[in-house]
Amino acid sequence: MDKKTIEITGTNFHNKGAELMLQSVVKTFQPLHDQVRLAVHGYQGSYEQKADLKLYSKAVYKRFRNNWLNILNLVPENFLLKQGLTTDKLISAYLDASGFAYTDQFPESFTKNFALKYQKEKKAGKKVILLPQAFGPFTKQETKKHLKILVDSSDLVFARDIVSYNNIIELTGEQSKVKIAPDFTNLTEGLLPENFNIQTKSICIVPNQRMLDKTSKEESKNYIKFISTCIELTISKGYNPFFLVHETSTDLALAEKIKNAVKLEVEIVKESNPIHIKGIIQNCDAVIGSRFHGLVAALSQGVPAIASGWSHKYNMLFKDYDCEELILTPSSSEQNIKEKIDLITDKDHREMLIKKLKQKSNEQKELTRKMWQDVFNVLGVV
């Protein structure tokens, strides 16, 4: 059987949630290495990063609207593959692991560009699968139009939650290929990095710059104060909060601002490997955060968490784990924040919560396994 070359789209190496999704796809396909080779766009990551994951690099060099590497289509396939390279011509399927890109909350070009790309690839006989992700809202006509093209051009579309699912079918109607499945990183095991000294009674604080630029003016203004209050209250209860940065290009500066505002010595942890980030979270007593995959890492491993988010995906995640009462907004009162922190730190509440999270985690993981089986069926691999 000839190997299928599958391109993973929508991920990157600088956002640790996106990289965790990439690593999760790679891990899932490892047992199928004799049937499938995985590739990412040539501009994505360094050679070393791709080599570590045994990813092929799709060679692309566009300038003045011309792809100057079309000449590679004349090069023998085996020669290219030995160099760790592939081309559009050799790709047989696309796995879109965007997480959250198709929505009015981002520029219309996000949806348009991928819709037109997948439309072209679908016409060429290639498979297109949108892995579990959040969708919508859709109110702009241009985004609506291209969302329909995106779905029409896909063989499978997985919404991560019922709100995202409804956002799709309101435009496209119900279709058997549009399904609901949870975030697939829940199956990926975390690993505590060597020599990482996790303190007892640790609480991981995961900030998110999007809470400043994707929320209302009031929530944006209150966010730093909100996280500062969380830190002060956890310290007053005898816990050791620390920052865990998921995106150094933006969240690191935000963590520094919060640290300066709280005027307490709070450690900032920067970890490049998302598997290690998940391992650190696994060994914490609780998480207070605004990064979606930091919260998935907590809940899926039975770690109590409090969320403050900027889209429906946060509410839906906590609904999946039956703990919607642990969602706050940056405008929440100090008393409300204290009540939620009590729920994740006081012994009796913690024990009940952890038991529930572990049960819900098993249910979510089983749904993810079913999702991957649907993907394998469409790709024709076993």
Side-chain angles (χ1 to χ4, degrees), residues 115-168:
L116 297 181
K117 171 184 171 59
Y118 293 148
Q119 184 181 53
K120 175 184 173 184
E121 302 300 349
K122 183 67 176 174
K123 288 178 180 177
K126 302 179 183 184
K127 301 290 186 182
V128 176
I129 298 173
L130 306 188
L131 293 176
Q133 53 193 282
F135 293 91
F138 302 111
T139 57
K140 300 174 183 176
Q141 290 306 311
E142 190 74 4
T143 310
K144 287 181 179 181
K145 180 179 80 172
H146 288 106
L147 188 280
K148 291 178 184 177
I149 294 173
L150 188 73
V151 173
D152 287 345
S153 304
S154 301
D155 296 272
L156 271 177
V157 177
F158 290 100
R160 275 196 307 222
D161 56 77
I162 188 63
V163 172
S164 296
Y165 176 81
N166 287 336
N167 285 337
I168 295 172

Side-chain angles (χ1 to χ4, degrees), residues 30 116 288 338 364:
Q30 279 176 347
L116 297 181
I288 299 173
K338 183 182 182 302
Q364 293 294 300

